[in-house]
Amino acid sequence: MKHREIAIIGGGPAGLAAALRAANLGARVLLIDRSDYLGGQLIKQTHRFFGSKEQRASERGIDIARELAAGVTANEKIQVMTEATALGYYEDGVLLVEHHNKITAVKPDRLIIATGGAEKNLMFPNNDLPGIYGAGAVQTLVNVFGVKPGKKVLMVGAGNIGVIVSYQLLQAGVEVAAIIEAAPRIGAYWVHAAKVVRAGVPIYTRHTIKRAYGEQEVSGATIVQLDENLQPVPGTEKDIDADVICLSVGLTPLTELLWQAGCQMIFVPELGGNVPLRNEFLETSVPGIYVAGDVAGIEEASAAMMEGALAGLNAAASLGYTSESLASDRKNVLAQLAGLRSGPVGEKIRKGLAQAML
Amino acid sequence: MLAQNGIPTPADLAGVLPPADRLAQGPVAIAECYQNIPCDPCYHSCKQGAIREFIDINERPQVDFEKCNGCGTCMSRCPGLAIFVVDATYSDSEALVKIPYEFLPLPEAGETVTAINRAGQAVGEAKVIRVQNTRVQDRTAIVWLAVPKELMMEVRHFNVKGVR
């Protein structure tokens, strides 16, 4: 059994930020990620991020991932375990980790869960045809492995992910036939939307996919307009040829470990599904277990980094580590998070978080 | 409408365009940013102090057209690729439109490209005058297009000929 001061599960933006902040306060950290690299979804984000200077706005996710990962790897207080899967958390506070076909038991004094989110699916006839992907898979193919998923894509969902992945597909030389969105408004930042529209991709709001068609693989989809009550309008069906249908219909927190640990959970649609109740220190109802990033509620990567920083600071501080600037660092992160969430696009998050506080 | 189809309306545009007398004086930045989102790199990038400081990070950029000299530094820092520079004084018949561009292949100076409007429609041809693509632009190249003056507020994208 290994004893560790802080174990962090997930090496994405939240986990990396948490590790750095906790280690900088002096805590010894074990960072666990199931991939063979650090950075999580950041390593696919070739676009510039929004936000403010402190949150590294205007920098690209790929560059932020590289820098955070390098900082973590170089920090002697942080032990990194990649290709390691956290299998379970037990009543006695023991975490089981599978690493290179070996099971290791870790007993951390504090646990930060930063497991992120998973993509939601959409039900429609023939949605199991080859060629129908989640947006995350398409982004991995294109931006990590340099593989085109097909020639012509129908994107379902006009949130930030759907619109950004469409843009990145265009950059890779893949045609995007259209982006359809069931809601009456584009969910993505409008500047992102404007960028793909001027590059020739139409966005159809109030439209959904009625069915996909194709024999061995997908060759297209019938889309249909929706009325105010989200009901299909008869006679508005239209066929779109595509050899890829890309689903970008939202994310949901990856909370299995939190359930196992007995954290109090609550279903909050605004945050993407079941999320842990947490206090202002990002500590859950189980003392010593903290959350940060999408697992605590689906948001942007910039918010995940800020939450990670906060959880890292708080977990280390609860072990007695401190610095002269601890109070002001904490205040600064909180102020930045509040700023990110303060505008009209943050309304949903604010509403969601208000329901998830302990 | 932007919220429905991603295309700004003439009314949206009217709110961000510089006045005619300022356009007549030379290059100037136009921030085609219509939504209150948490984002402020344009303010931090402007060495002229021509973008008003954000009190709240969700404010929209306010360009002081008198202070702006059209240098275009902000263009490569805007995550939305929403800032353009227009120089209405380029020649008697043509204006210069500087466009942030992240596609390959990049065109070369002297090349003729298909000029595209905000709706993704071809509206004519444009001549590439210069391509800025150094470390400063950090992979968001700035392409200078000479377009007929009447299209200077229409052209916001282009296609390299022979490339889909």
Side-chain angles (χ1 to χ4, degrees):
Chain A
M1 175 102 60
K2 286 181 182 173
H3 168 255
R4 288 291 180 276
E5 286 188 319
I6 300 178
I8 301 174
I9 304 171
L16 289 173
L20 285 170
R21 290 296 188 114
N24 286 344
L25 269 189
R28 300 200 76 88
V29 175
L30 171 67
L31 178 63
I32 298 160
D33 195 283
R34 68 178 174 195
S35 305
D36 57 359
Y37 56 84
L38 290 175
Q41 302 299 308
L42 280 179
I43 69 150
K44 308 189 279 184
Q45 312 309 324
T46 52
H47 58 285
R48 295 178 190 282
F49 281 10
F50 292 81
S52 78
K53 209 174 173 179
E54 294 83 0
Q55 300 133 20
R56 334 185 50 136
S58 192
E59 289 183 47
R60 299 174 197 276
I62 40 171
D63 298 332
I64 300 174
R66 213 169 281 144
E67 201 189 304
L68 290 179
V72 161
T73 311
N75 194 312
E76 57 179 21
K77 290 209 178 293
I78 304 172
Q79 182 198 348
V80 176
M81 238 174 139
T82 47
E83 295 177 274
T85 307
L87 296 176
Y89 185 79
Y90 294 84
E91 294 97 333
D92 51 359
V94 172
L95 187 68
L96 282 194
V97 182
E98 187 274 327
H99 183 230
H100 295 163
N101 295 319
K102 250 179 71 188
I103 306 265
T104 310
V106 182
K107 188 158 179 157
D109 293 331
R110 301 288 182 271
L111 180 62
I112 301 176
I113 297 183
T115 43
E119 289 183 287
K120 291 181 184 170
N121 207 337
L122 192 65
M123 302 293 272
F124 55 87
N126 293 332
N127 77 348
D128 59 347
L129 277 173
I132 304 181
Y133 297 79
V138 164
Q139 207 185 23
T140 302
L141 278 177
V142 171
N143 289 356
V144 180
F145 298 115
V147 174
K148 290 184 185 183
K151 293 189 177 74
K152 195 172 178 183
V153 176
L154 171 67
M155 181 65 70
V156 181
N160 271 332
I161 295 178
V163 171
I164 288 168
V165 172
S166 295
Y167 182 71
Q168 293 170 353
L169 282 164
L170 295 174
Q171 288 179 307
V174 179
E175 190 181 343
V176 180
I179 303 173
I180 61 171
E181 168 60 56
R185 292 164 70 85
I186 294 170
Y189 291 162
W190 296 346
V191 282
H192 276 320
K195 215 162 76 170
V196 295
V197 169
R198 67 180 187 252
V201 180
I203 300 179
Y204 302 122
T205 43
R206 286 190 197 278
H207 277 77
T208 193
I209 186 163
K210 192 176 172 187
R211 60 190 293 271
Y213 53 81
E215 292 299 322
Q216 298 292 316
E217 56 198 323
V218 69
S219 61
T222 304
I223 65 167
V224 64
Q225 203 181 317
L226 298 173
D227 65 18
E228 275 91 69
N229 304 313
L230 291 178
Q231 294 307 304
V233 180
T236 60
E237 290 85 356
K238 199 160 81 175
D239 285 353
I240 292 191
D241 290 341
D243 62 350
V244 175
I245 297 174
C246 187
L247 302 177
S248 169
V249 291
L251 301 172
T252 190
L254 269 174
T255 53
E256 290 87 345
L257 288 166
L258 294 164
W259 288 102
Q260 276 194 341
C263 299
Q264 275 182 50
M265 306 292 286
I266 181 172
F267 183 76
V268 183
E270 290 89 346
L271 298 179
N274 283 300
V275 294
L277 288 171
R278 83 296 307 263
N279 63 19
E280 59 167 344
F281 295 95
L282 293 177
E283 193 173 13
T284 64
S285 62
V286 177
I289 297 186
Y290 295 77
V291 285
D294 276 357
V295 73
I298 303 300
E299 255 184 289
E300 297 293 323
S302 35
M305 286 186 273
M306 292 295 113
E307 281 199 341
L310 198 57
L313 284 175
N314 290 333
S318 75
L319 290 169
Y321 291 104
T322 189
S323 74
E324 275 180 19
S325 63
L326 176 63
S328 66
D329 288 349
R330 197 185 261 154
K331 217 172 114 184
N332 185 17
V333 176
L334 280 169
Q336 286 183 53
L337 267 173
L340 276 178
R341 294 164 173 162
S342 69
V345 291
E347 193 188 334
K348 201 170 100 178
I349 297 297
R350 296 198 300 275
K351 222 177 119 193
L353 288 175
Q355 301 165 59
M357 297 309 288
L358 269 172
Chain B
M1 257 187 67
L2 266 165
Q4 274 81 51
N5 60 14
I7 307 169
T9 61
D12 291 329
L13 272 173
V16 300
L17 293 185
D21 56 343
R22 173 62 187 84
L23 278 165
Q25 288 167 28
V28 64
I30 303 172
E32 301 195 11
C33 180
Y34 307 101
Q35 189 182 24
N36 296 80
I37 54 175
C39 188
D40 68 1
C42 55
Y43 158 70
H44 290 286
S45 74
C46 182
K47 292 179 179 66
Q48 309 301 319
I51 296 177
R52 200 169 74 191
E53 184 172 359
F54 286 58
I55 307 299
D56 171 347
I57 189 176
N58 291 282
E59 284 172 15
R60 290 165 46 198
Q62 304 289 323
V63 182
D64 182 333
F65 297 120
E66 294 312 312
K67 284 188 188 161
C68 175
N69 63 1
C71 72
T73 303
C74 53
M75 294 177 65
S76 287
R77 300 304 293 170
C78 170
L81 270 59
I83 307 181
F84 304 86
V85 165
V86 171
D87 180 1
T89 66
Y90 178 67
S91 80
D92 289 343
S93 60
E94 289 176 310
L96 205 59
V97 180
K98 298 185 191 177
I99 288 174
Y101 192 76
E102 295 183 330
F103 294 96
L104 293 173
L106 282 174
E108 285 179 19
E111 201 171 319
T112 300
V113 295
T114 306
I116 309 276
N117 68 9
R118 295 180 186 85
Q121 298 154 336
V123 290
E125 295 202 319
K127 193 174 162 196
V128 177
I129 302 302
R130 194 182 157 189
V131 179
Q132 292 173 280
N133 185 31
T134 68
R135 280 179 70 117
V136 177
Q137 283 79 35
D138 183 27
R139 293 156 285 172
T140 302
I142 305 298
V143 178
W144 300 25
L145 297 181
V147 304
K149 253 185 196 166
E150 63 273 18
L151 292 180
M152 68 181 182
M153 291 307 170
E154 294 294 316
V155 177
R156 289 297 178 267
H157 191 65
F158 62 89
N159 280 349
V160 173
K161 294 203 183 266
V163 178
R164 192 202 56 71

